[in-house]
Amino acid sequence: MSPNTASDRALVRNVVIVGGGTSGWMCAAAIARMAPPGLTVTLVESEEIGTIGVGEATIPTLIEFNRFLGLNENDVLRYCGGTFKLGIEFVDWLGAGERYFHPFGLFGRDTPEFAFHQLWLRLKAMSENGAAPADTAGRIHDYNLCSVAAARGRFSPPSMESDTILSTMRHAYHFDANLYGQLLRGYAEQKNVRRVEGKVVDVARDPELGLIRSVSLSDGRAIAGDLFIDCSGFRSLLIGDALGSDFIDWSHYLPCDRALAFPTARIGSAVPFTRATADRAGWRWQIPLQQRSGNGYVYASDFIDEQEALRQLLDSAEGTPLADPRPLRFRTGHRRVFWEKNCIAIGLAGGFIEPLESTSIHLAQVGIQRLINLWPGRGVNAAEVAHYNRAMRMDYERIRDFIVLHYHAAQRSDSEFWRYVGNMEIPDTLASRLDMFRANGRIIPDPEDLFTEHSWLAVMLGQGIKPRNYDALVSRIPERALIYNMRQLKDAVEKTAMSLPTHQDYIDRHCAVRV
């Protein structure tokens, strides 16, 4: 075949990534990891623009990404000053002093016939109607190793033996996102990714096909490519400005649009969880790293001004401030298409759902993974582009529903903000989930859902949503057998948790920052 044929001209030989930060360098590292022979990868970023870089909490899916790259968990946490995360503690979402926990691990053990929580719901009903002692069921978190271990400040990675309680453990990380980006930059550059310092000021497109042909820098240089990846953050220089993919705004569901973030000196040992505390017009985070704590306030500017939000954040923060609070602005939602012609938006350039459940890095990761699975090495295929856009849109919508759940179900009415989110219209998909759970405690798993039925269970029960009944088929289990087996399971979870090292001891032994 002649090298001048249309088929040959469509081959992807040069990839240009616009923007660095966590998303950009994740993308560069992943593509370099799987790059076919002859592929060149160039990343353009500007130190003048900088990065967002406030994300310090992750979810368990990042473990898979690091394994794909061949990175050692302990080495990553040592480099990034990281700690382990077993879940999120929600404080004051149901009123002052109320707490609940969203663990990453599994609740109890499902049987081939029943989800575990249906067994617990029946046992709880038995305790309430006198068929079992009042304290028999306990809290559902008594059957979750992540919850019990987090409450006791203990940690260990999960066991690979599927028949042990320790196999139900799941974890993620708290780390310095900027350092993680630097780590991935070193990885990518070792695999011949070329970094170009410069600010993109123009985008050149093919006049007939509309494809992006090059980006121009402020110093006059032009960087040409066959495939362009937009990691330019909220600016969305390529997919938004150049290609015109409009933004689908979800601020009516998720009105928080501002954040203030700053570090403080850590007090005491690092706990193995993130804390999210509801406040007058949003919520505050507290994230423990090895050498500092991350603090922030995510709030809705329609309900509170920046000075008052800053005052509330500073009044509540623990530890000596290490820097001035940094203000951030954002919109929740996503681009109508994530892949248009020869350009794919990854990370904030494609969309953003506020950081309540630490999903930002995950959404960049899943975008990267899908791109690799559909790698357009022989040119862009319309059917594959449509599949990518449809799958990414559904990912965003499912995560949106889970985040909206936290606000809508919060039993607070002490401010205009909480009255708004408590009474707002919610997506039909979320309303259907809630109706099904309220009736008989059913949570129908969706294999494509980031948040499993265990996560939905934790938040729905935690937010005070109680099923009226349980699955009637559970009643065929003899009462005595149910009481005995549940007691044994609860005791096993407690004993396993207490056998684990403390979170701090595990860090000191395996991944402490070398001073």
Side-chain angles (χ1 to χ4, degrees):
M1 180 180 289
S2 167
N4 294 321
T5 64
S7 176
D8 190 67
R9 289 199 303 273
L11 292 175
V12 172
R13 297 188 180 91
N14 299 291
V15 176
V16 177
I17 302 170
V18 174
T22 305
S23 294
W25 286 112
M26 283 179 71
C27 198
I31 293 175
R33 164 73 174 77
M34 53 67 63
L39 184 74
T40 65
V41 181
T42 302
L43 185 145
V44 181
E45 68 175 340
S46 170
E47 291 184 0
E48 174 188 344
I49 295 174
T51 60
I52 298 294
V54 300
E56 295 172 328
T58 67
I59 57 178
T61 53
L62 189 64
I63 293 173
E64 300 168 9
F65 183 79
N66 288 341
R67 286 175 180 164
F68 168 72
L69 297 181
L71 300 177
N72 177 271
E73 176 173 88
N74 291 333
D75 291 343
V76 170
L77 292 186
R78 185 178 299 111
Y79 185 94
C80 300
T83 63
F84 293 93
K85 176 182 174 183
L86 295 176
I88 304 172
E89 181 185 50
F90 289 89
V91 180
D92 296 346
W93 288 71
L94 297 181
E98 297 291 333
R99 297 170 183 258
Y100 76 90
F101 197 70
H102 169 202
F104 292 141
L106 310 182
F107 285 93
R109 288 190 180 279
D110 295 339
T111 71
E113 300 90 355
F114 309 114
F116 168 78
H117 73 273
Q118 292 288 355
L119 303 174
W120 178 79
L121 287 172
R122 184 190 171 202
L123 188 61
K124 189 170 184 293
M126 289 167 55
S127 298
E128 291 172 350
N129 64 26
D135 61 346
T136 300
R139 303 175 310 120
I140 197 165
H141 286 279
D142 296 337
Y143 304 87
N144 186 291
L145 182 58
C146 279
S147 293
V148 178
R152 288 153 179 72
R154 296 178 179 270
F155 173 79
S156 177
S159 167
M160 296 298 103
E161 299 178 11
S162 60
D163 61 340
T164 65
I165 296 294
L166 194 54
S167 69
T168 67
M169 196 80 133
R170 301 287 185 275
H171 69 279
Y173 314 125
H174 305 118
F175 59 31
D176 185 314
N178 285 322
L179 289 178
Y180 184 62
Q182 292 176 26
L183 176 67
L184 296 182
R185 173 182 170 179
Y187 177 99
E189 289 181 327
Q190 286 181 354
K191 293 185 177 294
N192 299 316
V193 171
R194 180 171 72 107
R195 179 189 180 275
V196 174
E197 169 64 31
K199 184 177 180 181
V200 173
V201 294
D202 195 20
V203 179
R205 298 175 62 188
D206 185 296
E208 295 183 7
L209 301 177
L211 301 173
I212 296 177
R213 291 307 186 196
S214 65
V215 294
S216 298
L217 308 186
S218 57
D219 61 6
R221 288 177 294 168
I223 309 296
D226 306 308
L227 186 72
F228 289 80
I229 301 177
D230 190 348
C231 294
S232 63
F234 292 129
R235 290 165 293 146
S236 199
L237 295 176
L238 306 185
I239 202 76
D241 289 354
L243 295 177
S245 177
D246 59 332
F247 190 82
I248 297 176
D249 194 317
W250 285 339
S251 58
H252 53 295
Y253 292 134
L254 296 166
C256 289
D257 60 351
R258 300 285 191 275
L260 293 162
F262 77 113
T264 58
R266 208 189 71 211
I267 298 175
S269 297
V271 296
F273 55 87
T274 301
R275 180 172 289 122
T277 303
D279 212 320
R280 173 182 152 192
W283 60 278
R284 293 177 278 105
W285 78 71
Q286 187 174 30
I287 299 172
L289 279 70
Q290 288 192 38
Q291 297 179 305
R292 61 180 172 85
S293 291
N295 306 269
Y297 189 0
V298 176
Y299 65 94
S301 61
D302 284 346
F303 298 91
I304 191 173
D305 62 44
E306 183 175 301
Q307 288 305 311
E308 178 59 18
L310 178 61
R311 185 193 66 77
Q312 291 182 11
L313 175 60
L314 294 175
D315 286 349
S316 63
E318 299 177 357
T320 304
L322 301 177
D324 292 331
R326 179 184 178 188
L328 300 164
R329 295 188 174 195
F330 59 86
R331 279 194 300 168
T332 54
H334 64 83
R335 295 289 162 181
R336 188 172 299 278
V337 294
F338 301 82
W339 187 339
E340 175 71 9
K341 300 187 184 299
N342 63 334
C343 175
I344 300 97
I346 298 292
L348 300 179
F352 183 66
I353 300 176
E354 65 142 277
L356 184 59
E357 286 280 355
S358 310
T359 55
S360 184
I361 290 177
H362 166 81
L363 284 166
Q365 176 186 338
V366 75
I368 294 166
Q369 290 172 329
R370 283 211 176 92
L371 172 59
I372 289 174
N373 291 340
L374 298 171
W375 186 252
R378 294 183 177 86
V380 174
N381 177 276
E384 293 175 346
V385 171
H387 171 80
Y388 184 97
N389 284 324
R390 182 171 57 252
M392 289 300 299
R393 184 179 67 252
M394 293 179 69
D395 280 336
Y396 272 79
E397 289 175 355
R398 283 186 288 255
I399 293 173
R400 173 205 64 194
D401 285 2
F402 190 64
I403 304 302
V404 171
L405 165 65
H406 296 67
Y407 288 103
H408 181 67
Q411 298 177 20
R412 295 183 57 134
S413 58
D414 55 326
S415 71
E416 185 181 355
F417 171 80
W418 289 107
R419 287 190 290 273
Y420 170 80
V421 294
N423 294 298
M424 68 181 174
E425 182 180 355
I426 62 174
D428 292 343
T429 44
L430 174 58
S432 176
R433 278 187 186 257
L434 293 177
D435 288 345
M436 189 172 291
F437 184 71
R438 286 189 175 108
N440 294 297
R442 298 192 197 280
I443 306 173
I444 306 300
D446 182 339
E448 297 299 322
D449 199 340
L450 166 63
F451 293 104
T452 68
E453 57 267 39
H454 297 268
S455 289
W456 281 92
L457 176 70
V459 175
M460 285 193 289
L461 289 178
Q463 297 279 155
I465 301 172
K466 298 178 181 179
R468 294 185 293 273
N469 297 296
Y470 54 83
D471 186 342
L473 296 180
V474 177
S475 297
R476 69 187 181 86
I477 298 176
E479 291 183 354
R480 185 173 298 178
L482 179 62
I483 292 171
Y484 175 80
N485 289 330
M486 294 288 277
R487 181 180 294 123
Q488 292 293 108
L489 179 57
K490 185 164 57 173
D491 290 346
V493 169
E494 175 69 22
K495 289 177 182 177
T496 302
M498 294 308 296
S499 72
L500 304 180
T502 68
H503 180 226
Q504 190 63 57
D505 284 346
Y506 187 91
I507 290 172
D508 292 343
R509 193 178 312 147
H510 296 283
C511 53
V513 173
R514 294 181 179 133
V515 180

